Each structure stands twice: as structure tokens, then as C-alpha cells.
Amino acid sequence: MTDIESRIDTSRPHTARIWNYWTGGKDNYPVDREAGDRIRELHPGIGEYAKADRLFLGRAVRHLAVQEGVRQFLDIGTGLPSADNTHEVAQRVAPDARVVYVDNDPLVLAHARALLVGTPEGATDYLDADLRDVDTILAAAAKTLDLSKPVALMLLGVVIFVEDDEESYGVVRRLMDALAPGSHLVLSHTVTRPDMPDVDEAVAFWNEHGTPKLTQRTPEAVARYFDGLELLEPGVVSCSAWRPERPAPDVAMYAGVGRK
């Protein structure tokens, strides 16, 4: 058994594997599917959040690569590989794009090494690190990315795992402070809203049975991550409402893109 395999716990449901299950992937275990089905009973629309978040990623990366000329992406909290990963979207329109993925989930890392292969013109690298390990991430990313030039910092559904508000805001600020002017923050976050009580119930179930535990924040609290940045239109909104190709129902996953 490899070191990575020894770190994979199949006795408890894990968020990356449940997300994979909801988006139609096969990299999950019975415990994940059981928890995923139970959460979907509590909140039937939850599976759509995963799909909406993935579609938002694609739209945001395409915009940054095409309209903003961004050629470097630092994707922290990668999740399990699926269709249209960051490097695939970016390198489809800019073959010379360079992408560094960061995750501390052993199953994600095992699949990343096998699946996330980029174009010959660009570069794709992977790092085993926690979001809080800012110095480690920046030092390792600098081996692939030129941090003196704009970088898109991708934080999709990952700061929800930092419970303390000030710590989570501080981590994002430290990362953005280290990036060059013209860099962008792309962030999504599960929210709590008075008109979506079933979301709170689903999150409570998850935090009792799953790992890692997550923290909901209000839409206003999510917008704080973009303090000091120039928010691109339409601001911090349901990720399904961020420049959609066609109208879609709101989901309790809010997102935005900000320019440094």
C-alpha cells in the first residue's frame, strides 16, 4: 500500500467524493453515496449545486483566459478530476496556460497525478498542501508560475472548511497580497439564507456525519473575501447567475470574481 492509499479513509463519507457522486463521477464509495443520498433527501436541489459550481468554474476561467489575458492559474481545493478541469478549460483557449493544483485529499492527489495532464505548450503541476499552508503553497507554486505576473487564484468551495472567519479572510488576503497586480480571485462558498432552511439542515447532517466539517456564511460575509478588489459584474451572486449562458435557478452556492 502506498502512502497516499494508506491516508484514504473509506469508513466515513468525504466531501470531495460526495461532490464527485453528485456530478456523476465514479470515484466514490458506498459510504459517500449513502450520505449523498441522505443529504439530497434533506435538500433535493443539492446535486445541482455541484453542477452549477463546475459550470461557474468553466465560465470564469474562460473569461479570464480570453477577456483578461490570464495565463496562470493557482487552483486550491482542486477536488476530484471531472470534465472541464481548470487546465482543460484554460488550455483549450490558451494552450500556453500554466496551472498549479493544490489539495490535501489523498484520493484527489492519486487521481490528479494520473489524469491532469496538460498541453505540451503549457504546464500543469500538483501540490499536496492545506489551504492554510500559504507559504508552502506560494513557494511550490513559484516553481511553475511566475508570481511577478498575473495569476488567477481559484478557491471554489474550499474556504468553507476554515471555520474561523478571521482566519479564512486572512488566508485569502495573504494569498492575494503575494500575487501581482492584474491577478484575480475566483471564489465560491456555500451560503445560509433565510429562504433556504433546508440547506442549513443538510449542512447540519453533513457536519454530524461527514468530513471535513464545513461552515456556511451569509452572502454578505462571502462578499468580504473580495474586499480591496475590483469586483467584476455581476458581483457576488448565486454561481448559477454569474454570467450564465442561459437563465438558471439560484443555488445556495455564491461566487464572484475580483481583480487586483
Side-chain angles (χ1 to χ4, degrees):
M1 180 180 291
T2 66
D3 175 61
I4 288 178
E5 289 172 333
S6 69
R7 290 164 52 196
I8 297 173
D9 181 3
T10 61
S11 66
R12 295 188 67 189
H14 192 284
T15 181
R17 301 193 306 251
I18 291 180
W19 210 250
N20 175 263
Y21 171 52
W22 283 335
T23 55
K26 297 180 173 59
D27 299 312
N28 47 74
Y29 297 94
V31 67
D32 305 307
R33 296 189 285 275
E34 291 169 11
D37 289 341
R38 176 58 180 145
I39 292 171
R40 195 147 43 189
E41 289 174 9
L42 294 170
H43 182 50
I46 192 70
E48 297 306 311
Y49 292 20
K51 296 174 185 176
D53 197 45
R54 174 60 51 164
L55 291 172
F56 162 70
L57 180 151
R59 296 194 303 273
V61 170
R62 278 192 297 274
H63 171 82
L64 293 178
V66 175
Q67 303 298 328
E68 306 287 344
V70 175
R71 293 294 180 267
Q72 303 188 107
F73 297 82
L74 178 55
D75 188 334
I76 304 177
T78 306
L80 284 162
S82 63
D84 283 343
N85 301 289
T86 297
H87 76 283
E88 293 172 319
V89 177
Q91 293 176 352
R92 194 174 297 141
V93 297
D96 60 336
R98 306 176 76 82
V99 180
V100 172
Y101 290 103
V102 182
D103 208 297
N104 66 347
D105 183 312
L107 187 61
V108 171
L109 291 167
H111 284 275
R113 289 171 181 166
L115 299 179
L116 300 179
V117 179
T119 59
E121 303 94 327
T124 310
D125 203 359
Y126 331 98
L127 173 62
D128 180 3
D130 186 274
L131 169 65
R132 300 171 181 86
D133 299 334
V134 173
D135 293 338
T136 298
I137 290 172
L138 292 171
K143 297 176 182 177
T144 301
L145 308 178
D146 181 351
L147 301 187
S148 70
K149 297 179 180 178
V151 174
L153 174 62
M154 313 287 295
L155 296 175
L156 273 67
V158 63
V159 293
I160 60 176
F161 301 117
V162 182
E163 181 178 5
D164 183 80
D165 286 346
E166 293 313 311
E167 182 183 13
S168 68
Y169 293 129
V171 165
V172 175
R173 276 195 302 272
R174 286 177 61 200
L175 286 164
M176 286 304 298
D177 284 348
L179 302 181
S183 293
H184 289 74
L185 171 63
V186 182
L187 182 144
S188 67
H189 196 300
T190 304
V191 298
T192 178
R193 280 182 15 185
D195 59 333
M196 293 182 171
D198 49 343
V199 177
D200 299 345
E201 189 177 358
V203 169
F205 174 86
W206 171 256
N207 284 342
E208 182 178 352
H209 300 280
T211 182
K213 300 187 186 310
L214 62 88
T215 298
Q216 292 169 280
R217 294 182 170 92
T218 64
E220 294 76 18
V222 175
R224 274 192 60 191
Y225 289 104
F226 296 91
D227 284 357
L229 303 177
E230 177 191 352
L231 262 178
L232 275 58
E233 292 294 336
V236 178
V237 295
S238 169
C239 64
S240 59
W242 197 91
R243 306 191 180 194
E245 295 173 0
R246 60 185 63 87
D250 277 4
V251 297
M253 176 73 72
Y254 269 49
V257 179
R259 181 190 296 112
K260 180 175 177 179

